[in-house]
């Protein structure tokens, strides 16, 4: 069987060139007679991999020097718990914007630890639009404002960075990081699980303003402190070395493709043509208001749910895989991260038109 077009939401497709390089280097990395995952994380050779990955993140995203770049574990979900522990005092409030399932989960973890205020909630509109900034009721003295710029399940995306004044803005960018340039200075913390748009699962990229590292209380165990990870180059204990290495290959691939401005152009074009195909079909539909639609995750439904099984089976036969929507939403979801070639989106659009014609 050849390679499929893989629309999985995560773990998601990786660029073919990256997989080929990892394959070629698997048994004998850099003439060492061993793979990169079989050597010490403290060896000179691995430190070089780690440092190059950080340098490439800094270059791709334009990360200023007063931000630390961390390579952590525990997934984005673990950060839902660690962020309030590291950034907020025991009696301090934290603000959360809820726009879908991931930001809701983040808020419910914070609630266990700190006084958590949901300052805007898109529930009334079934999370189909980004709540207007003017309506957010920020808490005076809050430690930070947390939001999720791209809701992977609902397919809802912020296309501008909300202005929250001097309060640090904390962003779960798991499913949108590196899809376009961002102005890092606008954020206190950016974090992302790697398995959507960066590399294999097991790794979390975090970009954190250094002054925020000082906030942590001494009641927080060392292993859970971002400051301790920053001090030790993210090697307080053994990091996810192989995921880190593959992420490095992805960063190099992004640089070869022209960086994030070039990716933004491709991503906006890919998403634009897929939404257009949905809207103009009179057959498929997507409930998200146009200005809030995600470039990365495109959910859509067929006219009748009874058609779903046939759609999925035929799509799979056509080499278009992992299109089943999230179990909480139903229907379909096409995740079209950086690694999804435009040809994959074109093939999906053509298949959808053909399926609609045959099952209208
Ligand atoms: C996938 C995802 C998560 C969860 O990531 P884990 O690595 O499974 O913890 C959190 N937030 C967003 C936006 C996601 O897409």
């Amino acid at each position: 069987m050849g390679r499929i077009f893989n629309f999985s939401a995560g773990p998601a497709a990786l660029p073919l060139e990256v997989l080929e390089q990892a394959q070629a280097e698997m048994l004998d990395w850099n003439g060492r007679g061993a793979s990169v995952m079989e050597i010490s994380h403290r060896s000179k050779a691995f430190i070089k991999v780690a440092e190059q990955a950080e340098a490439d993140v800094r270059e791709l995203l334009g990360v200023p020097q007063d931000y630390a770049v961390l390579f952590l574990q525990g997934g984005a979900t673990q950060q839902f718990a660690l962020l309030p522990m590291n950034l907020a005092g025991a009696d301090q409030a934290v603000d959360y914007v809820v726009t879908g399932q991931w930001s809701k989960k983040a808020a419910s973890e914070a609630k266990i630890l700190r006084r958590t205020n949901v300052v805007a909630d898109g529930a009334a509109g079934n999370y189909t639009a980004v709540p207007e900034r003017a309506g957010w009721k920020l808490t005076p003295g809050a430690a930070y404002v947390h939001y999720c710029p791209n809701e992977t399940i609902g397919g809802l995306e912020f296309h501008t960075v909300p202005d929250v004044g001097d309060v640090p803005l904390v962003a779960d960018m798991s499913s949108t990081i590196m899809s376009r340039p961002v102005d890092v200075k606008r954020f206190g913390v950016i974090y992302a699980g790697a398995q959507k748009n960066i590399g294999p699962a097991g790794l979390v990229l975090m970009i954190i303003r250094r002054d925020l590292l000082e906030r942590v209380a001494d009641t927080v165990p060392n292993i859970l402190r971002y400051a301790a990870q920053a001090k030790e180059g993210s090697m307080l204990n053994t990091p996810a070395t192989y995921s880190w290495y593959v992420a490095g290959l992805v960063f190099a691939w992004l640089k070869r493709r022209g960086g994030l401005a070039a990716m933004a152009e491709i991503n906006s074009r890919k998403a634009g043509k897929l939404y257009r195909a949905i809207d103009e079909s009179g057959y498929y539909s997507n409930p998200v208001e146009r200005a809030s639609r995600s470039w990365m995750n495109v959910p859509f439904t067929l006219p009748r749910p009874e058609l779903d099984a046939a759609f999925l089976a035929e799509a799979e036969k056509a080499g278009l895989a992992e299109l089943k929507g999230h179990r909480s939403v139903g229907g379909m979801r096409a995740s079209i991260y950086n690694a999804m070639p435009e040809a994959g989106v074109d093939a999906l659009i053509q298949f959808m038109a053909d399926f609609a014609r045959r099952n209208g």
Side-chain angles (χ1 to χ4, degrees):
M1 180 170 182
R3 294 275 298 168
I4 52 166
F5 286 123
N6 175 7
F7 294 91
S8 172
L14 285 163
L16 182 58
E17 279 173 51
V18 165
L19 294 173
E20 285 170 342
Q21 187 178 344
Q23 180 185 43
E25 295 179 342
M26 176 63 82
L27 300 185
D28 178 11
W29 177 66
N30 274 351
R32 296 175 69 93
S35 73
V36 64
M37 75 177 105
E38 300 170 291
I39 64 168
S40 168
H41 56 295
R42 308 216 183 264
S43 63
K44 272 207 184 88
F46 189 79
I47 300 277
K48 217 170 125 189
V49 170
E51 287 178 349
Q52 187 62 50
E54 171 171 344
D56 287 345
V57 168
R58 287 188 180 278
E59 183 181 331
L60 284 163
L61 283 162
V63 180
Q65 274 314 313
D66 59 332
Y67 286 74
V69 175
L70 309 181
F71 291 85
L72 306 171
Q73 301 176 66
T77 307
Q78 183 162 293
Q79 314 319 311
F80 294 169
L82 296 189
L83 284 161
M85 289 169 80
N86 276 268
L87 299 182
D91 50 1
Q92 228 179 344
V94 292
D95 281 354
Y96 280 72
V97 179
V98 173
T99 51
Q101 298 201 30
W102 286 116
S103 49
K104 197 172 180 176
K105 268 197 181 164
S108 63
E109 282 294 270
K111 218 166 273 177
I112 295 171
L113 294 155
R114 297 290 183 271
R115 187 152 49 84
T116 300
N117 295 324
V118 172
V119 297
D121 192 332
N126 206 18
Y127 302 116
T128 52
V130 165
E132 289 286 343
R133 168 65 188 87
W136 301 9
K137 300 188 183 69
L138 299 184
T139 311
Y144 60 83
V145 180
H146 180 282
Y147 82 120
C148 180
N150 185 68
E151 288 282 359
T152 320
I153 294 169
L156 180 81
E157 185 155 19
F158 286 72
H159 291 285
T160 56
V161 180
D163 184 358
V164 294
D166 292 334
V167 188
L169 186 59
V170 176
D172 173 4
M173 287 203 191
S174 295
S175 51
T176 187
I177 190 137
M178 306 229 174
S179 66
R180 73 198 75 187
V182 292
D183 184 3
V184 173
K185 288 191 307 297
R186 302 282 307 276
F187 298 88
V189 181
I190 291 170
Y191 68 103
Q195 71 273 28
K196 286 28 185 293
N197 220 7
I198 290 179
L203 188 72
V204 174
L205 176 67
M206 176 172 282
I207 299 165
I208 179 165
R209 216 174 64 209
R210 290 187 199 275
D211 63 292
L212 299 175
L213 296 170
E214 312 300 323
R215 289 185 175 189
V216 69
D218 32 358
T219 48
V220 176
N222 210 42
I223 188 65
L224 305 181
R225 290 188 204 181
Y226 297 139
Q229 288 289 11
K231 190 158 159 262
E232 297 296 330
S234 306
M235 293 193 192
L236 204 51
N237 66 328
T238 314
T241 53
Y242 195 72
S243 296
W244 197 335
Y245 152 83
V246 177
L249 301 185
V250 171
F251 300 148
W253 175 80
L254 287 169
K255 282 171 45 177
R256 289 198 301 277
R257 299 209 68 192
L260 303 190
M263 293 318 297
E265 218 181 291
I266 298 167
N267 288 327
S268 117
R269 197 167 61 230
K270 275 157 50 185
K273 61 166 89 168
L274 183 50
Y275 286 115
R276 208 172 318 119
I278 291 167
D279 292 339
E280 289 174 0
S281 69
Y283 187 84
Y284 303 101
S285 55
N286 168 287
V288 180
E289 72 154 29
R290 283 176 196 222
S292 305
R293 282 172 165 179
S294 169
W295 285 5
M296 297 281 105
N297 310 98
V298 182
F300 60 91
T301 50
L302 278 63
R304 298 181 304 281
E306 303 87 81
L307 292 163
D308 288 1
F311 182 94
L312 287 166
E314 291 179 34
E316 183 119 15
K317 251 191 236 152
L320 308 166
E322 305 288 337
L323 283 162
K324 194 175 166 53
H326 190 269
R327 58 186 186 279
S328 64
V329 178
M332 307 298 148
R333 174 175 48 168
S335 294
I336 51 173
Y337 301 119
N338 284 339
M340 173 57 65
E342 194 161 350
V345 175
D346 292 338
L348 174 62
I349 289 170
Q350 202 181 351
F351 170 81
M352 287 168 68
D354 185 51
F355 185 89
R357 211 173 307 113
R358 284 184 289 106
N359 297 276

